[in-house]
């Protein structure tokens, strides 16, 4: 007996939203707490800053690089099964990492398996949320991102408490059990009825009775089918957004990894240093819904991408505060201001992508965007760790590096979006000018009723 489909914008959509909030807290809220284990792992394995930095970078890179594989699984098995499989995989990765004896084993267990499992759970819930909400999609995305804020608030406090009593191995073992809650969240993601037609391939069908294609041709078609390279090539807005975000990520994640080690190195107590990350998360609980409500207003619909670029610009300027002082009160102020820009980025990131790309292509577009982001995520913390090793652990250079990437990415996206808007306006004006003499010529020798009708049509076109 076929299963009944849920209705978009119905009552069950809010249950799905709640499951998305919890899942985002478990997945995207987890990486910022890894900085708490940075010094502990560095002493345990007697590793340098650069070597230890590969631990959070591999996990965060897989959290994004698994996008295309997640897109394939969602298309084949649905969002519910993909989220539950992700929870099991993340659990197994954390349990295996608690038995690691080298950093290489930790990279594989936590970075590969846990990162991939978190990716499956996170991206599947984001995809299904876009189908459950249409009119209130901006608000739903903002409310869902509150889960990230809750995760950033609670994960550091839980990590610090468990690290003191159980050590990092016991803490990772407990984390494995926590990630199984993703399976519970995935169980409530019922299939939803959508009005979107399935995406069709534009290419001609292969001729009949031809030999099977070679491995290279099959891989090429597979890549084009599941990665949005066609969208990247033809959609200029998606191209500007993707390149800007990939460049932005090189600096955006550095404070999440190095803020706690930076504060501890300058004499801040370890408990108070962990509280700094929780301050960022707690502030985002209130700021993200406000940012989502603001971005969801009809008057801001066409300006969301510009607001996103300005938020990235503010985020880059804020990081310069850490280069001035490492006093705890200054760092608290930095975390509060940083939360404002971070909440705007978190509330607008997926909404801007949904504005640029149609929903039937969103999963593929998100997959390509995240796999490109993963390259930046993979090299950014080790690059900053190498910078620390080369400058005798001078953390100011890390925050200078973060600000450079964020500011340049914001200026690139602002300039790109403004140029595309100007080009679109010029094209529309040119089409309107070309339409005037054509209509005037066509209207010669007609009665007054037809002239009146064509005049009204021309007025609508000019508007």
């Amino acid at each position: 007996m076929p299963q009944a489909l849920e209705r978009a914008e119905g009552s069950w959509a809010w249950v799905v939203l709640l499951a998305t909030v919890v899942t985002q807290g478990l997945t995207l809220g987890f990486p910022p707490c890894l900085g708490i284990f940075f010094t502990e792992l560095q002493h345990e394995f007697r590793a340098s800053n650069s070597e230890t930095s590969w631990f959070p970078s591999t996990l965060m890179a897989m959290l994004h690089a698994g996008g295309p594989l997640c897109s394939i699984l969602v298309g084949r098995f649905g969002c519910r099964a993909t989220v539950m499989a992700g929870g099991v995989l993340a659990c197994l990765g954390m349990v295996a990492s608690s038995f690691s004896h080298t950093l290489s084993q930790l990279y594989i267990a936590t970075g590969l398996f846990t990162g991939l499992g978190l990716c499956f759970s996170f991206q599947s819930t984001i995809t299904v949320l876009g189908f459950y909400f249409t009119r209130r999609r901006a608000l739903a995305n903002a409310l869902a991102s509150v889960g990230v804020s809750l995760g950033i608030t609670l994960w550091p406090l839980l990590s610090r408490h468990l690290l003191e009593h159980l050590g990092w191995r016991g803490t990772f073992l407990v984390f494995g059990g926590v990630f199984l809650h993703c399976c519970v969240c995935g169980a409530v993601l019922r299939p939803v009825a959508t009005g979107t037609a399935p995406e069709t391939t534009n290419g001609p069908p292969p001729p009949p009775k031809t030999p099977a294609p070679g491995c290279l041709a099959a891989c090429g078609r597979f890549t084009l089918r599941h990665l949005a390279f066609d969208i990247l090539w033809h959609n200029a807005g998606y191209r500007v957004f993707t390149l800007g975000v990939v460049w932005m990520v090189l600096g955006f994640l550095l404070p999440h990894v190095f803020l706690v080690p930076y504060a501890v190195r300058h004499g801040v107590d370890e408990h108070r240093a962990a509280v700094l990350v929780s301050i960022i998360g707690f502030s985002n609980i209130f700021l993200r819904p406000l940012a989502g409500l603001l971005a969801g207003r009809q008057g801001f619909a066409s300006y969301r991408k510009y607001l996103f670029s300005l938020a990235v610009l503010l985020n880059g300027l804020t990081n310069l505060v850490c280069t001035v002082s490492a006093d705890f009160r200054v760092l608290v102020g930095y975390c509060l201001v940083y939360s404002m820009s971070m909440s705007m980025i978190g509330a607008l990131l997926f909404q801007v992508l949904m504005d640029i790309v149609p929903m039937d292509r969103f999963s593929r577009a998100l997959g390509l965007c995240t796999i490109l982001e993963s390259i930046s995520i993979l090299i950014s913390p080790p690059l900053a760790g190498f910078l620390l090793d080369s400058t005798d652990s001078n953390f100011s250079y890390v925050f200078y590096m973060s600000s450079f990437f964020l500011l340049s990415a914001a200026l690139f996206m602002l300039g790109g979006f403004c140029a595309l808007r100007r080009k679109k306006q010029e094209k529309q004006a040119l089409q309107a000018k070309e339409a005037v003499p054509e209509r005037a010529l066509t209207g010669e020798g007609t009665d007054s009723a037809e002239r009146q009708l064509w005049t009204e049509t021309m007025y609508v076109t000019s508007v």
Side-chain angles (χ1 to χ4, degrees), residues 45-114:
F45 298 105
R46 299 177 183 178
S48 63
N49 289 301
S50 179
E51 292 172 339
T52 312
S53 299
W54 284 102
F55 163 64
S57 70
T58 50
L59 185 143
M60 290 186 289
M62 287 308 302
L63 179 57
H64 293 76
L69 181 57
C70 177
S71 176
I72 296 170
L73 293 177
V74 167
R76 178 66 180 85
F77 301 104
C79 292
R80 173 188 285 178
T82 308
V83 172
M84 298 175 73
V88 173
L89 193 59
C91 169
L92 294 177
M94 292 308 297
V95 171
S97 66
S98 65
F99 297 98
S100 300
H101 296 287
T102 63
L103 273 177
S104 301
Q105 296 173 354
L106 201 62
Y107 299 156
I108 297 173
T110 306
L112 180 62
F113 293 107
T114 300

Side-chain angles (χ1 to χ4, degrees), residues 359-370:
M359 271 310 299
D360 60 328
R361 300 188 176 189
F362 175 76
S363 180
R364 291 174 56 221
L366 179 63
L368 178 60
C369 184
T370 52

Side-chain angles (χ1 to χ4, degrees), residues 409-429:
L411 294 176
F412 169 76
M413 286 189 288
L414 275 174
F417 287 137
C418 289
L420 290 175
R421 185 180 184 183
R422 192 181 305 113
K423 184 178 179 180
K424 182 179 179 181
Q425 290 175 343
E426 291 175 355
K427 185 178 179 180
Q428 289 175 346

Side-chain angles (χ1 to χ4, degrees), residues 199-203 223-236 238-239 357 361 364-365 368:
E199 185 181 351
T200 57
T201 333
N202 295 328
T223 303
L224 290 175
R225 180 182 177 187
H226 293 288
L227 292 182
F229 285 112
D230 55 336
I231 306 176
L232 187 67
W233 180 259
H234 294 102
N235 192 330
Y238 177 67
R239 190 159 57 245
V357 179
R361 300 188 176 189
R364 291 174 56 221
L368 178 60

Side-chain angles (χ1 to χ4, degrees), residues 3-173:
Q3 184 179 3
L5 299 178
E6 291 293 332
R7 182 171 52 89
E9 299 282 351
S11 57
W12 194 256
W14 299 102
V15 179
V16 172
L17 177 60
L18 178 61
T20 305
V21 169
V22 177
T23 304
Q24 289 211 25
L26 293 173
T27 56
L28 289 184
F30 177 67
C33 82
L34 296 178
I36 295 174
F37 301 96
F38 192 91
T39 306
E40 187 78 17
L41 294 174
Q42 194 173 18
H43 293 159
E44 172 81 14
F45 298 105
R46 299 177 183 178
S48 63
N49 289 301
S50 179
E51 292 172 339
T52 312
S53 299
W54 284 102
F55 163 64
S57 70
T58 50
L59 185 143
M60 290 186 289
M62 287 308 302
L63 179 57
H64 293 76
L69 181 57
C70 177
S71 176
I72 296 170
L73 293 177
V74 167
R76 178 66 180 85
F77 301 104
C79 292
R80 173 188 285 178
T82 308
V83 172
M84 298 175 73
V88 173
L89 193 59
C91 169
L92 294 177
M94 292 308 297
V95 171
S97 66
S98 65
F99 297 98
S100 300
H101 296 287
T102 63
L103 273 177
S104 301
Q105 296 173 354
L106 201 62
Y107 299 156
I108 297 173
T110 306
L112 180 62
F113 293 107
T114 300
L116 200 60
L118 296 182
C119 171
F120 290 168
S121 298
F122 144 64
Q123 291 199 25
S124 301
T125 53
I126 287 295
T127 301
V128 77
L129 193 68
F131 288 109
Y132 263 100
F133 288 91
T134 53
R135 291 184 294 106
R136 291 180 286 234
R137 186 175 292 159
L139 175 62
N141 281 319
L143 292 176
S145 65
V146 172
V148 184
S149 308
L150 289 170
I152 296 175
T153 304
L154 299 176
W155 275 115
L157 302 178
L158 177 64
S159 301
R160 187 74 252 172
H161 176 76
L162 293 177
L163 186 61
E164 289 182 350
H165 293 83
L166 302 177
W168 70 268
R169 296 184 186 275
T171 302
F172 284 6
L173 196 61

Side-chain angles (χ1 to χ4, degrees), residues 36 156-157 159-165 260 264 268-279 328:
I36 295 174
L157 302 178
S159 301
R160 187 74 252 172
H161 176 76
L162 293 177
L163 186 61
E164 289 182 350
H165 293 83
V260 173
V264 171
V268 179
D269 181 70
E270 292 182 353
H271 292 276
R272 302 178 82 185
V275 168
L276 291 173
V277 183
S278 297
I279 290 174
F328 180 74

